[in-house]
């Protein structure tokens, strides 16, 4: 895993549990995440058979033996895995050891396999939980724990901070949209550019900009598409950033048109900075964004509705502020990392 959604969640869970007094070590399939974890003081093990390009039967067998050695050497109580492959390997590695297995399901299409696995499952949204139930997983084996990755330093802490941030936003003459996503698979960048292009076509004099945070193999093609769509002078590609919050703090609304989303961490991050969100009403997104309250949700691929939503917010800063305030309240109540640690620990206790 790279430090995309699964990696970010794994990092957040490790920190949340350590903050609650657990000793946590990390097993990964490659060195991609090592620096991020070791900088935070975690012991990291590289285990064969976990990485996407390393899942031959021979490598999996090696990985099972390595996990068995690690689990035995430090007397671990729980092995918490973050995809179906890792869950199966962890189960095989700890047979007869009295170690409990928990598997977080982000919705990667292996639900039918997990039906046969004798361990507890954490679904990152009720959408994922219902999908597991549809594939025959017993309800008593599933607990929903949101991807609550937000830390106190990333969330606006009071009304004064919210008001000050919005005064700075209101000082900008143009209406600023921002989106955050890797540019490898389809995260809705083309749709965002198309909807934004339609907005510009409606009123050429409208002062509006769109910023994308992220990078990947599709970036050059997306830059070309913004040229073809005639909005290259209004669309900015900020690249991959370790800290996305300065870009969120300059924007008036968050635009995220991924056609598949089991939760939507970036939407929770946008709400943490008091931003309203425009997105599709699919997957786990309605569990993060409340339509008409903390943002506007549109039918999948309905770009006219998306354009209307952008226009609606662009013409009504007061509504942006009101929706942003409700989004911030949701972030504080539902998506803080201490809740992630507490609820994960509750799952462990249920074992």
């Amino acid at each position: 895993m790279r430090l995309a959604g699964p990696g970010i969640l794994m990092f957040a869970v490790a920190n949340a549990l350590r903050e609650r007094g657990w000793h946590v070590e990390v097993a990964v399939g490659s060195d991609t995440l090592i620096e991020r974890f070791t900088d935070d003081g975690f012991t990291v093990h590289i285990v064969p058979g976990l990485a996407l390009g390393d899942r031959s039967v021979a490598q999996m067998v090696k990985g099972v033996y390595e996990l068995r050695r690690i689990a035995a050497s430090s007397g671990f109580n729980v092995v918490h895995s973050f995809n179906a492959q890792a869950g199966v390997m962890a189960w095989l590695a700890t047979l007869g050891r009295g170690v409990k297995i928990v598997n977080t399901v982000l919705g990667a299409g292996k639900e039918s396999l997990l039906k046969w696995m004798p361990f507890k499952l954490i679904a990152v949204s009720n959408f994922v939980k219902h999908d597991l139930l549809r594939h025959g997983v017993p309800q008593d084996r599933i607990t929903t724990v949101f991807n609550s990755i937000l830390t106190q330093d990333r969330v606006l802490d009071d009304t004064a901070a919210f008001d000050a941030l919005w005064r700075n936003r209101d000082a900008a003459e143009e209406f600023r949209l921002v989106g955050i996503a890797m540019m490898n698979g389809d995260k809705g960048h083309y749709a965002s550019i198309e909807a934004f292009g339609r907005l510009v076509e409606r009123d050429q004099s409208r002062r509006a900009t769109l910023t994308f945070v992220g990078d990947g193999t599709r970036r050059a093609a997306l830059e070309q598409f913004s040229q073809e769509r005639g909005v290259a002078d209004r669309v900015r590609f900020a690249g991959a950033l370790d800290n996305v919050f300065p870009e969120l703090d300059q924007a008036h609304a968050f635009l995220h048109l991924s056609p598949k989303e089991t939760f939507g961490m970036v939407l929770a991050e946008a709400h943490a900075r008091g931003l309203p969100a425009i997105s599709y009403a699919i997957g786990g997104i309605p569990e993060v964004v409340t339509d008409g309250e903390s943002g506007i949700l549109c039918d999948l691929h309905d770009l006219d509705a998306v354009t209307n939503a952008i226009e609606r917010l662009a013409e009504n800063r007061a509504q942006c502020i009101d929706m942003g305030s409700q989004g911030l309240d949701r972030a504080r109540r539902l998506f803080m990392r201490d809740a992630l640690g507490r609820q994960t620990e509750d799952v462990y206790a249920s074992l």
Side-chain angles (χ1 to χ4, degrees):
M1 295 188 300
R2 294 173 293 276
L3 199 63
I8 292 171
L9 179 59
M10 188 175 175
F11 183 74
V13 170
N15 274 282
L17 289 169
R18 186 170 62 180
E19 288 163 3
R20 296 186 66 81
W22 288 77
H23 171 77
V24 181
E25 297 185 16
V26 181
V28 294
S30 69
D31 61 2
T32 308
L33 292 176
I34 285 183
E35 185 175 351
R36 183 70 178 265
F37 281 103
T38 55
D39 283 352
D40 264 34
F42 291 102
T43 297
V44 182
H45 309 272
I46 296 183
V47 174
L50 291 176
L52 285 174
D54 189 40
R55 293 182 176 178
S56 67
V57 173
Q59 290 296 91
M60 286 179 61
V61 170
K62 290 180 183 178
V64 166
Y65 277 102
E66 178 62 10
L67 285 172
R68 192 171 182 83
R69 182 193 66 79
I70 295 167
S73 65
S74 298
F76 288 99
N77 303 104
V78 178
V79 179
H80 189 150
S81 53
F82 287 81
N83 58 50
Q85 179 90 3
V88 172
M89 290 175 61
W91 172 59
L92 293 172
T94 56
L95 285 173
R97 295 277 184 174
V99 179
K100 304 300 183 181
I101 308 297
V102 173
N103 183 256
T104 287
V105 185
L106 293 98
K110 299 291 178 61
E111 292 82 2
S112 57
L113 170 65
L114 291 171
K115 175 175 68 173
W116 305 106
M117 295 295 103
F119 42 71
K120 285 275 189 176
L121 303 175
I122 291 177
V124 299
S125 64
N126 287 317
F127 168 78
V128 172
K129 178 179 179 178
H130 293 150
D131 203 33
L132 288 166
L133 292 172
R134 185 171 60 84
H135 282 84
V137 179
Q139 183 162 327
D140 62 359
R141 285 181 46 213
I142 312 167
T143 303
T144 299
V145 177
F146 288 148
N147 290 339
S148 302
I149 63 170
L150 299 173
T151 52
Q152 292 292 345
D153 60 318
R154 299 297 179 93
V155 181
L156 297 177
D157 55 5
D158 55 30
T159 302
F162 177 85
D163 291 343
L165 186 52
W166 269 101
R167 281 195 297 272
N168 290 335
R169 287 167 172 158
D170 275 344
E173 292 184 10
E174 72 271 17
F175 180 74
R176 296 171 177 170
L177 289 162
V178 65
I180 302 172
M182 298 291 286
M183 297 177 180
N184 296 315
D186 183 4
K187 282 293 183 177
H189 293 93
Y190 284 104
S192 295
I193 294 170
E194 175 61 29
F196 182 71
R198 294 183 189 187
L199 178 80
V200 173
E201 285 176 350
R202 290 182 183 182
D203 183 359
Q204 292 287 341
S205 66
R206 184 187 300 277
R207 297 176 65 87
T209 62
L210 170 61
T211 295
F212 288 125
V213 177
D215 213 336
T217 57
R218 293 190 173 191
R219 176 170 173 173
L222 290 166
E223 290 175 333
Q224 178 62 34
F225 183 61
S226 68
Q227 289 274 0
E228 296 169 358
R229 200 61 188 77
V231 292
D233 59 329
R234 299 169 181 253
V235 178
R236 180 169 70 93
F237 290 82
L241 302 175
D242 288 333
N243 182 5
V244 301
F245 287 87
E247 293 292 344
L248 292 173
D249 289 352
Q250 293 182 50
H252 299 94
F254 190 81
L255 182 63
H256 185 69
L257 300 181
S258 173
K260 293 181 180 180
E261 202 69 76
T262 57
F263 181 77
M265 294 183 194
V266 291
L267 295 163
E269 289 178 325
H271 278 350
R273 307 308 293 180
L275 278 182
I278 300 170
S279 192
Y280 290 139
I282 58 161
I285 289 176
E287 298 174 57
V288 184
V289 180
T290 303
D291 185 32
E293 296 181 11
S294 67
I296 302 173
L297 300 182
C298 305
D299 290 340
L300 180 64
H301 302 316
D302 188 347
L303 295 187
D304 285 335
V306 172
T307 303
N308 291 340
I310 299 171
E311 187 173 51
R312 175 178 158 189
L313 293 183
E315 294 177 352
N316 192 339
R317 295 282 178 92
Q319 187 170 46
C320 284
I321 294 171
D322 180 60
M323 286 185 167
S325 176
Q326 294 190 64
L328 176 58
D329 179 65
R330 287 184 63 76
R332 288 173 177 159
R333 286 188 293 107
L334 300 175
F335 308 130
M336 301 301 297
R337 196 167 77 186
D338 60 346
L340 177 67
R342 184 177 64 255
Q343 291 167 17
T344 301
E345 189 176 60
D346 287 344
V347 174
Y348 294 176
S350 74
L351 303 177

